[in-house]
Amino acid sequence: MTTLHITVGDRAQLREDTLHFIQTAEADELDESDKRAVLQFGTYDDLVDSLTPLRLELIQAIAKERPSSMREAARLVDRDVSDVHADLKQLEVLGILELKEGGPGGAIQPVVPFDKIEMHIDYPLLDDVDADSTPASAD
């Protein structure tokens, strides 16, 4: 089973993780945990803007039904082809799906290379909270 891991974290950590990954890849020292598919958003708002309910429905329909074209994908979710086309392009940029040429009649076929999406969201309720600190007493 191929899983896409989606995380939300602060931008500084995202930058640090990206630089570490690049350095590790350049040194040809990637291990299996480094090779897993991860999509990281800097903020919760970035996640919500990118993975709308309509886009998640589209991803699921493509993974389940394996349409042979963008037009067929639009029919699966009962949406306008041009809106679905725009969503597919954005999802391709994010790496959530691939748009492959060579479908019937030269159609571009959307393909989701994952069986599952797992999301991990850190959503701090207070600024600068130390995760290891003891909560204050209400005495």
Side-chain angles (χ1 to χ4, degrees):
M1 178 177 293
T2 307
T3 301
L4 171 61
H5 300 272
I6 296 177
T7 64
V8 177
D10 65 48
R11 291 186 188 275
Q13 185 64 47
L14 173 59
R15 184 176 186 283
E16 186 178 314
D17 291 348
T18 302
L19 289 173
H20 174 71
F21 177 82
I22 291 169
Q23 291 167 346
T24 304
E26 286 175 346
D28 200 26
E29 297 174 353
L30 292 177
D31 62 23
E32 287 306 310
S33 66
D34 291 323
K35 293 179 184 176
R36 72 183 194 156
V38 177
L39 174 60
Q40 185 171 16
F41 291 95
T43 67
Y44 178 75
D45 290 339
D46 293 340
L47 169 70
V48 171
D49 289 344
S50 297
L51 291 179
T52 65
L54 289 175
R55 287 181 180 164
L56 288 170
E57 177 187 22
L58 180 59
I59 294 164
Q60 187 173 36
I62 292 167
K64 183 177 179 182
E65 301 295 332
R66 300 173 192 237
S68 60
S69 67
M70 289 186 185
R71 186 171 303 282
E72 187 179 340
R75 279 195 295 270
L76 289 172
V77 293
D78 194 27
R79 292 181 51 208
D80 182 80
V81 176
S82 62
D83 292 337
V84 167
H85 180 269
D87 281 349
L88 290 173
K89 288 294 194 177
Q90 180 63 32
L91 293 169
E92 180 185 36
V93 167
L94 292 170
I96 295 174
L97 57 75
E98 300 167 2
L99 297 176
K100 296 188 175 187
E101 296 183 19
I108 295 176
Q109 180 180 19
V111 176
V112 176
F114 307 105
D115 300 315
K116 181 179 175 183
I117 294 175
E118 288 184 4
M119 293 188 197
H120 175 82
I121 301 171
D122 287 331
Y123 196 87
L125 299 177
L126 303 173
D127 291 335
D128 298 328
V129 174
D130 182 4
D132 297 326
S133 67
T134 307
S137 168
D139 293 336

